[in-house]
Each structure stands twice: as C-alpha cells, then as structure tokens.
Amino acid sequence: MSISPPRWSAGAGQKPVLDEEERLRELGYQPVLARRMGGFGNFAISFSVISILSGCMTLYGFGMNTGGPAVMLWGWAGVGLFVLCVGMALAEVTSAYPTSGALYYMADRLGGRKWGWYTGWLNLLGLLGAIAGIDYGAALFLGAFLNLQFGFDPTPESTFLIFLGILLLHATLNLFGVKLVSVLNSISVWWHIGGVALIVGAIVIVPDSHQSPSFVFTEFVNNTGWENPFYVAAIGLLLAQYTFSGYDASAHLSEETSNASVTAARGIVRAIWASWIAGFVLLTALTFAIQDYDGALNSETGVPPAQILLDALGSDGAAALLLVVIVAQLFCGNAEVAAASRMVFAFSRDNALPGSTLWRKVSRRTQTPVPAVWLSVGFAAVLALPSLWSTTAYGAVTAINVIGITPAYIIPVYLKLRAGDRFEPGPWTLGKWSKPIGWVAVAWVVCVTVLFLLPQTNPVTADTMNYASVALVSVLTLATVWWFVARRSYSTPQSYGSAREQAEISDQIV
C-alpha cells in the first residue's frame, strides 16, 4: 500500500498551484469527466445538498414530537459545531485525494482495499438514501401545496407518483452535463439564502402574535412514548444530523472542478458553516411563528411547517412560501443525484458494483456518466417503495441516509489519524489542529451512529421500528457477499497507465 503525496508546480514568485489533471493521473485515473465547475459551483453543490429548506422543513414535524423547540434549536447549534469538525477533517483528506470516488478512494489509499470497499458501500447507501429522502420530502411538500391551493388529497399513492415525477426530472437535468448542474447549484445558493430571508421576514412581520423566547428556547415536548428526557433529546438530534449531510458532494465532483485540491476542501467547510448559521435563523423564526402546536402536528396537509405558515400568514402567503421551499428541495435533490451518480461511476470504474462495465460508461457528448444517473434514481425509487403502505417509511429512509453516510465520512479521517506521518496533506490543511479536530470528529460520529440505531418511538412495533439497523446490517452483508465475488477484479489503480487502465478507458466513453 502506498500513500501518494500531491505535487505542485509554480512559476517564479507565484504560489504553488496543483496540476489537477496530472495529479489525477498520479492517483491512477485518466481524466474523462469535464472539468467545468468553478469554486463557487463546488461550494454550491454541497450547500444545495445540505439544503436547510429541505432538511429543516421536512423533518420539523419529527423535531416537534422528539424534544420540541428546545432540542431543535440547541440541538442544531451543538450538532452544527461537531459536524463542522467532521467537515474540516474530511476536507483535509479531500485536498490530498481529489477524485470522484472520494471517501472510499481515500479509505483505500490510507487503509487498504477492504477499508475502501466497505466505506464505498456505506457511502453509496447513504447517497442513494439521500436521493429518496430529499425527493420524497419534496413530493410531500408539493402534495401539501396542492392541498392548500386545490383541495388535493395527498394519499400515499399520489405522493409516490409525484415522487417518481421528481426523480425523472432530476435524472433528465443531470443528463445535460455538469455545466448545467453547476449553474443550477449556483442559482440554488441564492434561492436558499433569499428563501430563508423571505420566510423569516414574513413570519416575523405578518403574524399578530408570536411565541415567547422562553417557549422557543426552553420548551421540551415528548410525544415519543419514551420517559427518559435525555434519551428523547438525543434521538431528537436526527433533525440536525440528517440535514447536515451530503457535503461530500464537493469531493465527488472534484474531478469536474478547477483547482479541486483547494476548492473542493473549501466547498465542504463553507457549505457547513453557511448552512449552520442560516438554518439556526430559519428554525428560530419558524418556532416563534407557531400559533397552534398540536394543530400543526395534526395538520390535514400532512406537513407541520405548512400548517404553521398557514396559521401565521393565511392561505395565499403560506402557498407562496411553500412554493419557495419546494423549489429549494428540487434544487437539493438535483444536486444529490449529481453526487450519487459520480459515486456510482467511480465505484464501477474500480469494478466494485454488479454490472460495473455498464455503470462506468460516460457520454462522449456531455462527458456525463449517464447509466450511473439512471441507476441512482432507479434505486432511490425502490428505497421509497415502503412508503406506499407504511406511514413511518419516510423516517426510515432518512435514517438509512444518516446511518450510511455518517460513518463513511469518518473512516478516511480515522485512517488519516492512524497513518500519522505517512499521510501527506494536500494544499488545504489544518496544520497543528489536524489531530485534535480529527479525534473530536471521530468521537462524535461514533456517538451519533449509535444514537441513530436506537428505536425512536415506544412501543416498538413493525410500524414504529427504526429500520436503520436493518439497513446497516443489510448493506454490510451485501458488501461482504459481493466481496467474495468481486475481490479479484476490484482495485483502485496505483497510477494511470497500467494495462488494465489502458484497456478499460476506451469502453468508458460511449
């Protein structure tokens, strides 16, 4: 096993600049994707995937039941700080290994083939679960909007059809190439910032009454059936931890980003702290605007934030702001499809998936991994199928996302810490803070992974069970079984130019 150091080149008097195409070849891959994304676009994709207007709004009802205002607000503040540590630690490793494979490639280089293999499968589970969670959440909000405007009845069947339509839209948009994805993500940043400002401004100015500060920051609500308040508060962190996921998108798009060894690392960190601040403002304002707590929880729209906006602003105002949220969720889902498809492409490039020869193909015209896009949305549709007969299925999908992707974030960080001086950092580094921040990140992810395997509702039945543990065991079992099938063909290349890479590069372009 080797840990390849990055190389720089510079003219006289200039700051060293990494030759990204040459670095990619050193890491083992011939560039086949179009490097058309700038630094802002790379930040924008992670900011769009985190999407406070998706995660905060979609899981707000969960937070109202599981700890209430106090846990939502203080949980957001605390979780955001720990996630920032995780993001900074991951950004440092990303700077050294800027590839589409991202987490699994880092783990493979730092720990060996099996570390990379299992990291890849966890990352893939999380990314595909995220597509399902984001787009199904958008379908729920679109159903609520149609209910407000036209009296539409959002049944499980109709919601699932809306969900499939959204998946099809996102697949189509991603087929046009990374340039369109980058443009849409850049628009998404300003849409999210403007949307938060609009929502906060409206619910601060328009309603005649607001909740008191003591209610917003200290009110504890427990509708879980569990008696221990500390247990409930811990489970309530899911709202924040689910929202603060997906920032590895910057790493997955690094092969399509200029100066990726710096901009992809910066994109991860900036997306987290920007979302941390804006999300706290959004949650605080929304909680102040609650007019009827129980009424919002039992809303006919099926979406508590929609009822809060309806009570505070009336039907027209609520419908307008719901539309703002829905568009933000659509931006979020589109960005997540881009990130997941690059992971599918990269994992297939190293022969890790069944049918890898198909999923790694890239369109000659758009330089986009077209089959990987279709596989990503298709599997997300399958993941959400249980929503047709279980009202708790959506919560299970979000848990699958968190339990898959969160451990995958920390494995490369742990392996970097274990490697010690053998790890050669890239141009973006934490310096003397690398080890303390890294160990804080590892400790946090270990704790939160245990938390999100625990049951969230009492009594535990088939309808209320937390299926994250089932999903985790299933994907690890699948990965283990497939390892014995594919272990001879799976490998990350040591450097571009081996017989295998030269033979296979031609069949990637179609």
Side-chain angles (χ1 to χ4, degrees), residues 7 35 47 83 153 164 194 224 229 278 283 380 384 424 435 446 465 508:
R7 298 180 183 178
R35 201 175 288 274
F47 185 79
V83 170
D153 181 21
L164 292 179
T224 65
L283 287 172
E424 293 285 344
K435 288 185 178 179
V446 169
M465 180 180 173
Q508 286 183 238

Side-chain angles (χ1 to χ4, degrees), residues 195-220:
V196 170
L198 182 62
I199 291 170
V200 170
I203 57 183
V204 166
I205 295 171
V206 175
D208 293 329
S209 63
H210 293 86
Q211 295 290 343
S212 65
S214 63
F215 173 87
V216 172
F217 295 105
T218 66
E219 184 72 14
F220 182 83

Side-chain angles (χ1 to χ4, degrees), residues 54-97:
S54 178
C56 291
M57 300 294 276
T58 304
L59 282 176
Y60 192 84
F62 172 87
M64 291 177 75
N65 278 317
T66 315
V71 173
M72 283 194 285
L73 270 297
W74 297 116
W76 182 271
V79 170
L81 179 61
F82 285 115
V83 170
L84 187 60
C85 290
V86 177
M88 288 190 293
L90 182 61
E92 185 175 45
V93 191
T94 298
S95 180
Y97 302 107

